[in-house]
Structures are given as structure tokens and as C-alpha cells.
Amino acid sequence: MQATIKEYRPKPAARKDGFWRALGLPSRGAKLHEALSAGISYKVYTKLTEISGLESKELARYVVIPPATLKRRADTGYFKPAEGDRLYRFAEVYKSAMDLFEGDKAKAKEWLLSPVRGLGGRRPVEMVATTAGAEAVLDLIGRLEHGVFA
């Protein structure tokens, strides 16, 4: 009897920009800058809550958008540039966490909401409101992906 060797065939990879397309945002470059400067749509916020599995109030707290402001943005349909920038930073960190956990949304969310030793015991979601904080989280994710723990 001859053993059959099953050939490994990876599943077709999702488009690299699929996450950003689902959000309705460009991932980088001049188009992203234009979108943030013009004010991103409130729909991006609702899609981000759906994708991340966070409650609307939770996400607003992490990106420092007070409830009254969130309601005004829902009414006008757009966020101001600084608010949109904070939403983009959260999306970038969330996407990187999902990539770290190979697309497992539950594990990515759990990691983002848990104290992390590499961030001095802070939760990654607590750090996304500032550029420096988001960069620290992204740097840690990069180090974890490459097996560098120091």
C-alpha cells in the first residue's frame, strides 16, 4: 500500500486592504490624509464598532470622544480631523493586533483589553488616544511578531 501525501494548498489570502476597504478608509498615503482632513464619515465609526466587537460607548471612551460629541457627530455624519485621526489610530492598532493573532478577532480584542507587560502593565486600548501611545503599541506588536521580547 502506497501512502498518499496530501499537498498543502493555502487558502487564497484576503486582499491586503480588505480591512480598510470594509471600514471605508484608505490604509495609507495621500488619500488617507485627504479623508482625515475632510472629516471621516460616521459610518466608519459604526463599522469599526462592528468589526472590533466593542460597544459604541467603549470605543468612544478609548478614542476620547465624549458622549455629547459622539451624538453631534452622528447627527452631522462626520468627525472632525483630530477625532478621525484618533479613530484611524485605533483601527491601525486593532488591525495590527488581529494580524498578530492571525485574524482571530476574539484573541485580538482580549489582548487589547488586557494589561500587557511590554507596555508597563497598561492596556493597549488605553494608549491609542495619543500618537506616542499608539506607536508604542504598534512597536510592541512588531517585536512580538518577530520574537523580540526585550
Side-chain angles (χ1 to χ4, degrees):
M1 201 183 282
Q2 189 175 21
T4 56
I5 299 173
K6 189 172 182 177
E7 183 180 348
Y8 173 70
R9 293 184 185 215
K11 295 178 184 174
R15 287 187 53 125
K16 191 173 183 177
D17 64 349
F19 173 83
W20 299 105
R21 186 178 303 254
L23 278 183
L25 278 180
S27 62
R28 299 244 179 262
K31 288 186 180 188
L32 174 62
H33 174 75
E34 290 170 17
L36 292 173
S37 295
I40 62 170
S41 168
Y42 188 81
K43 290 178 185 177
V44 170
Y45 180 82
T46 58
K47 289 177 186 176
L48 193 52
T49 60
E50 290 171 20
I51 290 170
S52 68
L54 292 173
E55 296 290 327
S56 179
K57 290 179 183 180
E58 276 183 293
L59 179 57
R61 186 173 67 243
Y62 298 139
V63 295
V64 193
I65 299 175
T69 302
L70 187 62
K71 180 165 181 0
R72 282 194 306 276
R73 300 304 175 252
D75 293 343
T76 62
Y78 288 90
F79 286 93
K80 291 188 175 183
E83 298 159 346
D85 188 49
R86 291 192 303 270
L87 286 169
Y88 171 77
R89 282 195 303 260
F90 176 86
E92 187 176 29
V93 165
Y94 180 77
K95 165 91 170 68
S96 294
M98 270 198 357
D99 291 346
L100 176 65
F101 292 100
E102 299 177 349
D104 188 324
K105 290 181 180 184
K107 285 184 180 178
K109 181 180 173 184
E110 180 183 345
W111 185 81
L112 288 168
L113 295 173
S114 301
V116 174
R117 187 177 193 174
L119 297 172
R122 298 186 79 193
R123 298 180 321 146
V125 292
E126 295 171 346
M127 300 182 69
V128 299
T130 66
T131 300
E135 285 177 358
V137 175
L138 292 170
D139 180 59
L140 176 62
I141 290 172
R143 288 184 288 142
L144 291 171
E145 286 178 329
H146 293 95
V148 179
F149 301 105

